[in-house]
Amino acid sequence: MSTLDSAPNTPASPVHVAPVTFTVPAGETAGSAMRPLELPNKGPQAIVVVKDSTGQLRDLSWAPEADEEVTAIASDTEEGRAVIRHSAAHVLAQAVQKEFPGTKLGIGPAIENGFYYDFDVAEPFTPEDLKKIEKAMKKIIKSGQKFERKAYSSVDEALAEYTDEPFKTELIADKGNVDPNSDEATEVGAGELTCYCNVNPRSGDVEWYDLCRGPHVPTTRYIPAFAITRSSAAYWRGNQDNAGLQRVYGTAWESKEALDEYQTMLAEAEKRDHRRLGNELDLFSFPDDLGSGLPVFHPAGGIIRNEMEEHSRRRHIAGGYSFVNTPHITRQDLYERSGHLGFYKDGMFPPMIVDAEYDENGQETKPGQEYYLKPMNCPMHNLIFDSRGRSYRELPLRLFEFGTVYRYEKSGVIQGLTRARGFTQDDAHIYCTEDQLEQELTTCLEFVLSLLRDYGLEDFYLELSTRDPKKSVGSDEVWERSTEILSRVATKSGLELVPDPEGAAFYGPKISVQARDAIGRTWQMSTVQLDFNMPERFNLEYTAQDGTKKQPIMIHRALFGSIERFFGVLLEHYAGAFPVWLAPHQVVGIPVADDFNQYLDDFTAELRTRGIRAEVDTSDDRMQKKIRNHTTGKVPFMVLVGGRDVEGNAVSFRFLDGTQVNGVPKDRAVEIISVWISSRRNVQPSEASVAELV
């Protein structure tokens, strides 16, 4: 089983100094204790909060009851940005209530790359309203209001302060039932109830306050760069049966430069959106007749997909994998046995009832059985392993399948190819002995990284997902051992290793490969998951060298994650201009006049004998329009032919960057194109790169 993320992360990459740790004496504030250290209080590395010895973030105004060792958290760290963004959400809410009196408040958490706040407002916000709100926020930030924490002595005291805020009073009354991992926990948290007051620095008056567990930046001036991005409809607590709200989104950063970089990336990402490019380049579509999240690939997209799969097949065969194939549906018993129905049922399509029998009166005489569309391939691969006796001599056994699976994603999270309901995984399950395990994991990770590089991704780091005690099977001992082995393998790779606490699947820990694309976004790609539990649930065995029966260890491995998602990632990474070896149209001949059509027909025919996708544009368009059309269509090799080319038995190359190489001997041109494709270069040809080969 592999997990799939819908959208990339966009972390900035500043140069950080080592975190500073210091002691806060009992009764003294963190800010006061920090002052002699002369740490930054302005700029992108300004200290905004501290982290105590338990890992909890604290305001700089916090004073511990006993001496406490803390770590300074700077603005340009992920934790620092989250505090800035949550503080910006408070400023947003203050501005909305100032500009739109009578507005009721929902919740306002920090989220990845930004923040939002939900409002109950009479009319939906217009673009002009958002500009008005942003202007009001700038005034509040410029005034330098202080964020001051206040603790309530009781629920009744808190309720008394929010009598005009029905959503806040609901949260306060329901505090004990709020999921600590939900956005609502930002408001009420655990332990005591608190609010934050925005205090006028001159008069000391409270300008505004909000229920919140914090922490916050010291003053609004620590929000140096923000922007309101959009608004949308929302529902209280995400339930469509509840009140309809307006959600306003924004982003905030540690500096104007970081904000500018992020907004530039967003603009570039919009141009690269795979859904738009898929339509423009006629690669795939999502017909309404099929239903939501179910793509179809058009001929050009089918070529790219086939090339991706064929290269992967060749590499897997060379890597010692055996190809298998399994059906799309199965009886429910299989997923009960594997544990997926217990842990993953909400992510599966509802069952279909088959094989029921009825008498002539329509009365059921034999109950039907529930069948499910498969959401993952691993249980079926276990059945293949268990189809006959296995010997230690067969291990490691590497089973591989391009297996189409179906997952019931909620309509709100479906996002083109990167989050679909039907998709094909390049799924492998490796069965090995304990002695083989660490080497097999190492080989597997090296294989994964090597194959991703084949497709032009180069910038990686690793994430180690560990056990969620509430959603897992197996003993503590097995989990600890599994996690230790995976951590050791990941560390040996030399790549950065980032923890993902409680992010593992229910049966074992995993390493996920995170890849940065051409504009710096991070996508989760391959996963390598270690599993001591499912072989036990399926009672898998092999005969060991000493004749005893032993249980194999299972490695789950998906390289692309899903072919559809990987297709979308590559489409955005290359902005539609796929490397020549993947491009659906590799070469197009463009004659200066119809008299040269036959010359180009002969040239492209030679290319086609070598398996190269080549054609001649014989349309009635003028040559310059043909060049524009095929540049827009991302054809990497445009071959121009005029009178001089024919006289010299040559052709001229035109490239996507607008450069050109003229008078290339025809035979040499065929070789250049052939070598470029066979060597699977992942850069576009250009005048400079091709001139070296002429």
Side-chain angles (χ1 to χ4, degrees):
M1 174 182 174
S2 88
T3 53
L4 302 174
D5 288 345
S6 62
N9 300 315
T10 53
S13 302
V15 178
H16 293 298
V17 295
V20 175
T21 301
F22 61 97
T23 299
V24 181
E28 187 175 344
T29 67
S32 175
M34 186 178 73
R35 199 166 294 125
L37 302 177
E38 297 184 348
L39 297 177
N41 61 7
K42 293 181 180 180
Q45 293 191 329
I47 305 303
V48 287
V49 291
V50 296
K51 183 188 291 185
D52 68 17
S53 58
T54 69
Q56 185 173 348
L57 296 180
R58 302 282 192 173
D59 302 307
L60 295 185
S61 60
W62 168 72
E65 295 180 358
D67 290 2
E68 178 79 18
E69 188 173 87
V70 301
T71 302
I73 303 298
S75 298
D76 62 351
T77 63
E78 284 307 301
E79 289 174 312
R81 292 186 189 114
V83 172
I84 291 172
R85 289 162 184 166
H86 183 43
S87 301
H90 273 230
V91 174
L92 165 61
Q94 182 182 357
V96 168
Q97 288 200 314
K98 179 178 182 296
E99 299 298 326
F100 300 89
T103 298
K104 306 303 180 187
L105 301 176
I107 60 173
I111 57 175
E112 187 178 353
N113 296 319
F115 59 90
Y116 71 78
Y117 212 111
D118 289 341
F119 303 101
D120 185 5
V121 65
E123 297 290 338
F125 292 119
T126 66
E128 291 72 25
D129 291 336
L130 297 185
K131 291 177 183 177
K132 185 178 180 181
I133 293 167
E134 188 172 81
K135 184 176 180 181
M137 288 179 67
K138 289 178 179 178
K139 288 183 179 178
I140 294 169
I141 290 170
K142 188 176 181 180
S143 71
Q145 292 179 6
K146 296 179 182 179
F147 286 94
E148 291 189 359
R149 184 177 184 270
K150 171 186 172 181
Y152 295 110
S153 60
S154 67
V155 168
D156 288 341
E157 182 189 1
L159 287 171
E161 288 206 351
Y162 296 91
T163 55
D164 291 333
E165 295 287 357
F167 303 116
K168 299 293 184 181
T169 55
E170 182 180 329
L171 286 176
I172 294 168
D174 201 30
K175 174 177 166 56
N177 298 319
V178 170
D179 181 351
N181 297 314
S182 71
D183 289 341
E184 294 165 5
T186 301
E187 307 292 302
V188 295
E192 62 185 348
L193 279 166
T194 59
C195 84
Y196 276 77
C197 302
N198 286 36
V199 178
N200 187 303
R202 295 181 178 83
S203 67
D205 295 336
V206 175
E207 300 278 353
W208 184 84
Y209 63 91
D210 193 10
L211 185 72
C212 183
R213 68 175 178 175
H216 283 282
V217 295
T219 77
T220 55
R221 288 186 179 272
Y222 282 75
I223 308 171
F226 82 96
I228 297 301
T229 54
R230 62 188 174 95
S231 64
S232 70
Y235 294 93
W236 175 237
R237 291 187 156 181
N239 188 337
Q240 294 188 17
D241 294 331
N242 290 339
L245 305 173
Q246 278 283 292
R247 177 170 293 178
V248 177
Y249 288 92
T251 186
W253 295 82
E254 67 274 10
S255 67
K256 180 65 164 56
E257 291 75 18
L259 174 62
D260 289 345
E261 181 182 345
Y262 175 69
Q263 290 178 320
T264 299
M265 185 279 297
L266 284 184
E268 183 62 28
E270 185 176 353
K271 289 190 290 185
R272 291 170 179 257
D273 189 307
H274 73 277
R275 292 163 295 187
R276 182 178 65 80
L277 289 171
N279 179 60
E280 291 177 358
L281 299 174
D282 194 20
L283 302 178
F284 55 83
S285 61
F286 291 84
D288 291 338
D289 290 346
L290 286 182
S292 180
L294 299 170
V296 294
F297 283 79
H298 301 183
I303 290 171
I304 299 168
R305 177 171 176 151
N306 185 63
E307 290 290 344
M308 289 168 55
E309 292 180 11
E310 283 303 308
H311 180 65
S312 177
R313 280 192 181 92
R314 289 190 293 269
R315 288 293 312 272
H316 278 87
I317 291 169
Y321 286 80
S322 299
F323 282 72
V324 298
N325 191 265
T326 59
H328 292 236
I329 62 172
T330 180
R331 288 167 43 192
Q332 70 168 9
D333 304 28
L334 182 65
Y335 287 107
E336 284 179 345
R337 187 179 180 188
S338 69
H340 288 103
L341 271 179
F343 289 95
Y344 201 75
K345 189 172 184 178
D346 288 346
M348 299 168 67
F349 275 87
M352 60 190 88
I353 309 298
V354 298
D355 294 335
E357 295 181 5
Y358 303 88
D359 62 20
E360 63 275 8
N361 298 318
Q363 298 296 313
E364 186 179 79
T365 59
K366 178 184 175 183
Q369 299 186 54
E370 291 189 346
Y371 276 69
Y372 282 89
L373 289 169
K374 68 172 177 178
M376 62 283 299
N377 304 295
C378 39
M380 295 186 180
H381 289 188
N382 286 339
L383 297 182
I384 293 173
F385 182 95
D386 200 36
S387 62
R388 62 172 176 79
R390 300 286 177 180
S391 164
Y392 73 94
R393 299 179 188 277
E394 296 178 75
L395 305 184
L397 178 63
R398 307 180 185 103
L399 302 182
F400 178 86
E401 175 179 13
F402 284 118
T404 300
V405 298
Y406 304 89
R407 298 184 185 173
Y408 183 65
E409 300 285 5
K410 297 292 194 306
S411 58
V413 301
I414 293 172
Q415 190 172 2
L417 296 179
T418 58
R419 195 76 177 248
R421 285 177 169 171
F423 48 88
T424 302
Q425 293 186 297
D426 59 331
D427 215 1
H429 295 92
I430 302 168
Y431 304 86
C432 64
T433 69
E434 189 165 343
D435 290 343
Q436 295 167 337
L437 177 60
E438 190 158 338
Q439 181 56 51
E440 193 63 23
L441 285 167
T442 300
T443 301
C444 184
L445 184 57
E446 290 172 349
F447 180 84
V448 160
L449 294 170
S450 170
L451 194 47
L452 288 176
R453 289 187 176 102
D454 284 353
Y455 295 92
L457 297 173
E458 297 284 349
D459 189 359
F460 308 112
Y461 68 93
L462 304 179
E463 195 170 73
L464 178 62
S465 300
T466 53
R467 185 181 195 178
D468 180 350
K470 299 185 290 294
K471 296 179 181 179
S472 59
V473 295
S475 69
D476 292 344
E477 179 185 359
V478 165
W479 273 88
E480 289 170 7
R481 184 160 151 266
S482 305
T483 304
E484 180 184 345
I485 292 171
L486 271 185
S487 178
R488 191 160 58 243
V489 168
T491 301
K492 283 196 305 185
S493 74
L495 296 174
E496 178 188 4
L497 182 61
V498 176
D500 175 31
E502 300 185 359
F506 69 87
Y507 48 77
K510 72 175 179 182
I511 296 171
S512 59
V513 178
Q514 310 287 331
R516 295 184 180 91
D517 68 10
I519 59 174
R521 298 171 300 175
T522 301
W523 301 82
Q524 178 179 300
M525 301 308 305
S526 314
T527 56
V528 179
Q529 303 177 76
L530 183 53
D531 186 358
F532 288 83
N533 292 300
M534 206 173 291
E536 182 178 359
R537 296 176 77 96
F538 278 79
N539 196 30
L540 301 183
E541 292 181 335
Y542 68 91
T543 303
Q545 192 168 6
D546 61 4
T548 61
K549 298 292 186 181
K550 291 190 176 181
Q551 181 180 294
I553 299 169
M554 186 175 179
I555 300 169
H556 303 246
R557 192 237 68 188
L559 194 149
F560 296 155
S562 96
I563 292 171
E564 289 80 0
R565 184 171 182 275
F566 193 63
F567 188 111
V569 171
L570 287 184
L571 183 55
E572 295 200 11
H573 176 63
Y574 289 115
F578 281 98
V580 185
W581 69 280
L582 284 174
H585 308 283
Q586 295 172 318
V587 181
V588 63
I590 301 176
V592 173
D594 290 346
D595 293 345
F596 309 117
N597 286 354
Q598 186 59 53
Y599 184 88
L600 272 172
D601 282 340
D602 295 341
F603 178 77
T604 55
E606 172 63 23
L607 292 173
R608 287 194 294 273
T609 64
R610 301 183 179 217
I612 295 169
R613 296 182 287 278
E615 58 198 83
V616 179
D617 186 343
T618 58
S619 68
D620 293 333
D621 293 331
R622 297 173 65 85
M623 183 184 73
Q624 290 304 321
K625 186 176 181 182
K626 291 180 181 181
I627 292 173
R628 285 196 301 273
N629 289 343
H630 296 300
T631 299
T632 302
K634 314 295 186 184
V635 179
F637 277 102
M638 288 172 274
V639 179
L640 312 182
V641 168
R644 289 185 180 179
D645 295 301
V646 173
E647 290 174 8
N649 198 31
V651 297
S652 295
F653 286 137
R654 172 83 176 200
F655 305 110
L656 291 177
D657 64 356
T659 61
Q660 196 161 311
V661 176
N662 296 323
V664 181
K666 191 162 69 169
D667 291 345
R668 187 63 190 147
V670 169
E671 289 303 317
I672 289 171
I673 295 170
S674 300
V675 168
W676 196 283
I677 293 171
S678 63
S679 61
R680 291 194 310 278
R681 298 189 183 198
N682 287 313
V683 296
Q684 285 293 323
S686 65
E687 178 185 14
S689 56
V690 168
E692 299 172 0
L693 304 176
V694 174

